[in-house]
Amino acid sequence: MKYILTIIFVLGLVQLEAQTDKNFILILDQGYYYQHKDNIDASNALYGSNQFGEKINDLTFNFYAGKKFKSHFYYGLGLSYCNFTDELNPNADVPAISESIGYGNILGYSNKKEIQNEISPLIFFQYFTNISNRITIAVEFYSKYSFNKTETNHLHYEVDSASYSYVIYEEIHENTEKEYFCFGLQPVFKLDIYKNFGMELRLKLVEYTQKTYDSVIDREKKTSNFEIGFKPENWLIGFYIRL
């Protein structure tokens, strides 16, 4: 598993960029974010349960197809896919039961795993300028509509007094669907290492998201989010090749 995650991480740093003779551009990028929190930093405590830790995996793929407009602009369409997993009290963090502490002192715990799959058609508009023979700075505006499907599995474990092991006491499974409208702005920095090869850094600067549909409940006032900043987990450091 460690080697698979390493390969995914490396691929997430690579960005291929190809431009045809007719001034079209094709962009493919990937991003990966992983975080493992201990019981102190875990963000969502489960009521009535011990808390042992939290694991977050966030894998994203983006594809863009655009056309040059005048000498410093690109516009086009794209498709984004994201797989996000948040697991509270993963099995690897749960300590083994010690018979020496006594059965009465052992409490059960809950495991909650949320898996989100999201696909988002998008449009983008990019302005770029060369500040030297090797360095390019771009500003990209994007707008997308996201279709999100979430699967939540909640398992509650109690202690079996005979075997001093955890057994499943209750299971809850839930599936929800949500839709979001989003638009944002991000700067892009490019450095040509060779003629057709270079390094790129993308930073999400501004993004606004508005939920438009929720299969659980539908109200007039829906969740919205506005974000300004340069969080490291939103950075994409990659390489590009011009073909």
Side-chain angles (χ1 to χ4, degrees), residues 215-231:
S215 62
V216 177
I217 189 170
D218 193 6
R219 296 178 177 175
E220 293 183 1
K221 294 183 178 181
K222 298 183 176 67
T223 301
S224 62
N225 182 65
F226 181 70
E227 180 181 351
I228 299 178
F230 295 101
K231 291 183 178 179

Side-chain angles (χ1 to χ4, degrees), residues 15 17 126-129 135-140 186-190 199-203 236 240:
Q15 183 175 75
E17 182 172 314
Q126 184 184 101
Y127 170 80
F128 65 92
T129 182
I135 300 176
T136 300
I137 296 179
V139 178
E140 183 174 288
Q186 62 181 0
V188 183
F189 301 91
K190 295 184 179 183
M199 180 177 290
E200 178 175 279
L201 173 64
R202 286 177 175 258
L203 309 174
L236 175 62
Y240 61 87

